[in-house]
């Protein structure tokens, strides 16, 4: 049997405050643009940078109130981890022209900016979420990387391993 996978994982910064609206059916949806950047050295040794913008869409569902959480806790400039699937849409605009859109349908969201607590939003499996307030992440090495202060670089993490005062079972 042939299998396929549509999974996107991004870590980036919000370009603007999220836009939250209600559909005619009463469902809530939040949209925001997430910037990811990469840097490299050009042929002449000069530093090059390219920023990609990703349109992210977060829906409230029966088991998740992620759009409400985005509205309440996420602000312009925040560093976020988002996980979801990529979707392509097309539609006719009011002038009859065909328009295209590429979106990330977000299923998991983790705030990496330390200013507001760096919480994780999601249900028990952390996919889909169950709403409410941010849940603090456990102090494991993988999660300590993501909770770097004020969205700092992940290189700061190795110093945390030198602490003798931790409650890790290994």
């Amino acid at each position: 049997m042939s299998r396929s996978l549509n999974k996107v994982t991004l870590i980036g910064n919000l370009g603007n405050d999220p836009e939250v609206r209600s559909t005619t059916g009463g469902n809530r949806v939040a949209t925001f643009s997430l910037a990811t950047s990469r840097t490299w050295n050009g042929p002449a040794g000069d530093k090059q940078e390219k920023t990609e913008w990703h349109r992210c869409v977060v829906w409230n569902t029966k088991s998740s109130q992620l759009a409400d959480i985005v509205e309440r806790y996420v602000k312009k400039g925040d560093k976020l981890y988002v996980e979801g699937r990529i979707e392509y849409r097309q539609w006719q605009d009011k002038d009859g022209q065909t328009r295209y859109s590429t979106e990330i349908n977000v299923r998991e969201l983790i705030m990496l900016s330390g200013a507001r607590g760096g919480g994780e939003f999601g249900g028990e499996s952390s996919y889909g979420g169950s709403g409410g307030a941010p849940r603090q992440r456990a102090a494991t090495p993988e999660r300590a990387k993501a909770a770097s202060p004020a969205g700092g670089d992940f290189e700061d993490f190795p110093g945390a391993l030198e602490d003798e005062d931790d409650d890790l079972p290994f």
Side-chain angles (χ1 to χ4, degrees), residues 28 84-85 109 120 131 160:
R28 308 252 306 148
R85 67 180 183 272
L109 170 80
E120 173 183 336

Side-chain angles (χ1 to χ4, degrees), residues 49-83:
E49 182 175 6
K50 180 168 173 64
T51 300
E52 301 284 350
W53 288 93
H54 311 276
R55 177 178 164 83
C56 298
V57 179
V58 183
W59 291 89
N60 279 355
T61 63
K62 293 178 197 174
S63 63
S64 164
Q65 303 302 309
L66 282 179
D68 293 339
I69 290 169
V70 166
E71 179 179 39
R72 186 170 178 186
Y73 295 104
V74 177
K75 301 293 178 227
K76 176 182 178 177
D78 284 352
K79 185 175 286 290
L80 295 181
Y81 165 95
V82 296
E83 188 174 302

Side-chain angles (χ1 to χ4, degrees), residues 80-157:
L80 295 181
Y81 165 95
V82 296
E83 188 174 302
R85 67 180 183 272
I86 194 165
E87 293 184 357
Y88 302 98
R89 295 190 302 120
Q90 73 177 38
W91 71 95
Q92 300 291 324
D93 67 9
K94 60 185 175 192
D95 298 327
Q97 293 199 4
T98 302
R99 300 288 182 180
Y100 300 91
S101 176
T102 302
E103 301 171 337
I104 307 303
N105 190 319
V106 176
R107 293 290 180 216
E108 182 178 4
L109 170 80
I110 302 173
M111 295 179 65
L112 301 178
S113 297
R116 282 187 281 283
E120 173 183 336
F121 299 99
E124 292 201 3
S125 67
S126 76
Y127 289 93
S130 58
R135 178 178 66 195
Q136 289 300 319
R137 301 199 65 149
T140 63
E142 298 82 17
R143 291 182 179 177
K145 286 183 197 175
S148 66
D153 291 332
F154 295 144
E155 287 91 17
D156 296 338
F157 175 68

